[in-house]
Amino acid sequence: MGVSLDVPESGGWPCESAHPHQDTHLNTSRAQDGIHDDAYLVGLRRDLFRFARLQLRDEAAAEDAVQEAMTAAWLQADGFAGQSEHKTWVFGILRHKIIDAMRQRQRLVNLADLGSERDDDAQLDALLFDAGGHWDKPVKPRAWPDPQTLLAQRQFWRLFEACLEHLPEQYGRVFMAREFLGLEMEEICGEFEVTANHCSVLLYRARLRLRTCLSEKGFSAEDDHGQL
Amino acid sequence: MANCKTVSKLLSDALDRPLSPHEWLVVHAHLPICSGCRNFRRQVQMLKQAGDRLRGGRLPEAPPADD
Ligand SMILES: [Zn+2]
């Protein structure tokens, strides 16, 4: 079925950014809080590339988008309070580059043609829900650890990336357009040329698969009572 | 009564659009009696939070707390 249990252990996630270090060879007048710090830039490029590659699923297109974002960032790197603010800004540029790249190739992927995913969806539903449509007891969603705790863990991001890569491409792209790029539903339906209803189904299927994949990989707290 | 399949779809929809009054009632009649759907809701909300962080490049600082 589509939700795999494999966890590739290779590769890290953006949070493994290099430690900022004191560079003595940089022009100190430009090296405000290390925006021109080599280690920072290497880490930034790697983080941008992972984000773009996940979204575009195409190494060359991801590399192009990152190169454009980095170039823009290089040209306007002054005036930021620090690395964190700069990084947020560069990610904003990359977001626009990725949306442009998606627009250019939107007709290459026919989202309406889900084919074999329909079978996988039926199998997943049969696994998760009983005949009455209620969660089947053994796989009923259990509480995950506190979100703030979870999001601060590198392990979470590794598993998240692994689960994302196991999503069928159509689901992954719609999910990421919504949650990573932050596009509104109207924009997404327009980009992918699907109806609002179909769009919402794609998002639901993507979320259901992701939370199931993450749960299978061991995210559960001892308390399974949930909270209101 | 609505089942979990229906309610979980509405919980996903609620992240993308306002629910209608009827949908809202369906969800809120179900949640108090179903821990599975309550947990599902928190999980999909967390997926959204993860996306927000990723978009801003706001990821855990090194060294991380867990490993
Ligand atoms: Zn339920």
Side-chain angles (χ1 to χ4, degrees), chain A:
Chain A
M1 82 179 205
V3 179
S4 166
L5 294 167
D6 299 334
V7 187
E9 276 303 317
S10 62
W13 189 258
C15 42
E16 294 174 29
S17 61
H19 294 263
H21 59 84
Q22 261 66 50
D23 256 349
T24 50
H25 65 275
L26 288 172
N27 178 339
T28 49
S29 70
R30 297 198 73 210
Q32 335 156 3
D33 191 20
I35 282 173
H36 297 275
D37 176 289
D38 288 346
Y40 166 67
L41 290 173
V42 168
L44 177 62
R45 169 178 277 280
R46 189 186 52 217
D47 291 357
L48 292 167
F49 181 70
R50 287 210 175 111
F51 181 61
R53 193 193 52 188
L54 270 177
Q55 182 73 54
L56 294 169
R57 298 202 179 196
D58 176 335
E59 302 256 332
E63 192 55 58
D64 287 349
V66 169
Q67 189 57 47
E68 289 178 40
M70 289 294 280
T71 302
W74 181 252
L75 293 174
Q76 300 179 53
D78 293 314
F80 290 92
Q83 288 178 352
S84 166
E85 185 181 311
H86 181 253
K87 188 172 185 177
T88 300
W89 178 74
V90 181
F91 264 82
I93 297 176
L94 180 64
R95 175 178 177 272
H96 289 289
K97 301 295 180 196
I98 290 172
I99 293 169
D100 287 347
M102 282 165 48
R103 287 198 173 120
Q104 282 168 18
R105 64 178 200 181
Q106 67 177 32
R107 286 179 180 79
L108 299 181
V109 175
N110 183 357
L111 279 180
D113 180 21
L114 280 170
S116 63
E117 271 74 48
R118 288 245 169 75
D119 297 337
D120 287 351
D121 285 340
Q123 281 182 37
L124 182 62
D125 281 357
L127 177 78
L128 292 176
F129 300 108
D130 63 22
H134 292 278
W135 300 110
D136 212 7
K137 204 157 183 2
V139 294
K140 190 171 75 168
R142 299 166 72 90
W144 284 352
D146 171 69
Q148 298 312 315
T149 307
L150 210 48
L151 292 171
Q153 291 175 352
R154 288 202 294 188
Q155 176 71 359
F156 166 77
W157 293 97
R158 266 199 287 274
L159 296 179
F160 191 37
E161 182 172 18
C163 288
L164 276 168
E165 287 184 348
H166 283 125
L167 281 182
E169 178 169 4
Q170 297 93 330
Y171 292 160
R173 289 183 62 206
V174 172
F175 175 80
M176 288 187 274
R178 175 69 184 136
E179 307 289 41
F180 293 0
L181 300 178
L183 296 183
E184 293 303 322
M185 291 297 277
E186 282 179 12
E187 296 176 283
I188 296 174
C189 302
E191 293 298 334
F192 295 107
E193 297 179 339
V194 294
T195 64
N197 186 51
H198 189 175
C199 220
S200 77
V201 171
L202 293 172
L203 279 168
Y204 171 63
R205 299 310 314 185
R207 288 169 176 145
L208 188 64
R209 286 190 190 217
L210 277 175
R211 58 83 28 206
T212 303
C213 175
L214 288 166
S215 296
E216 283 172 343
K217 292 182 191 308
F219 283 4
S220 57
E222 293 182 6
D223 159 37
D224 72 342
H225 295 103
Q227 292 173 22
L228 270 173

Side-chain angles (χ1 to χ4, degrees), chain A residues 134-135, chain B residues 3-5 7 30 34-38:
Chain A
H134 292 278
W135 300 110
Chain B
N3 62 30
C4 300
K5 214 167 167 175
V7 169
H30 183 84
C34 181
S35 69
C37 285
R38 291 199 297 276

Side-chain angles (χ1 to χ4, degrees), chain B residues 37-51:
Chain B
C37 285
R38 291 199 297 276
N39 286 323
F40 177 85
R41 179 165 76 157
R42 285 165 57 81
Q43 290 170 0
V44 294
Q45 284 171 342
M46 212 206 73
L47 295 176
K48 177 170 282 295
Q49 281 180 274

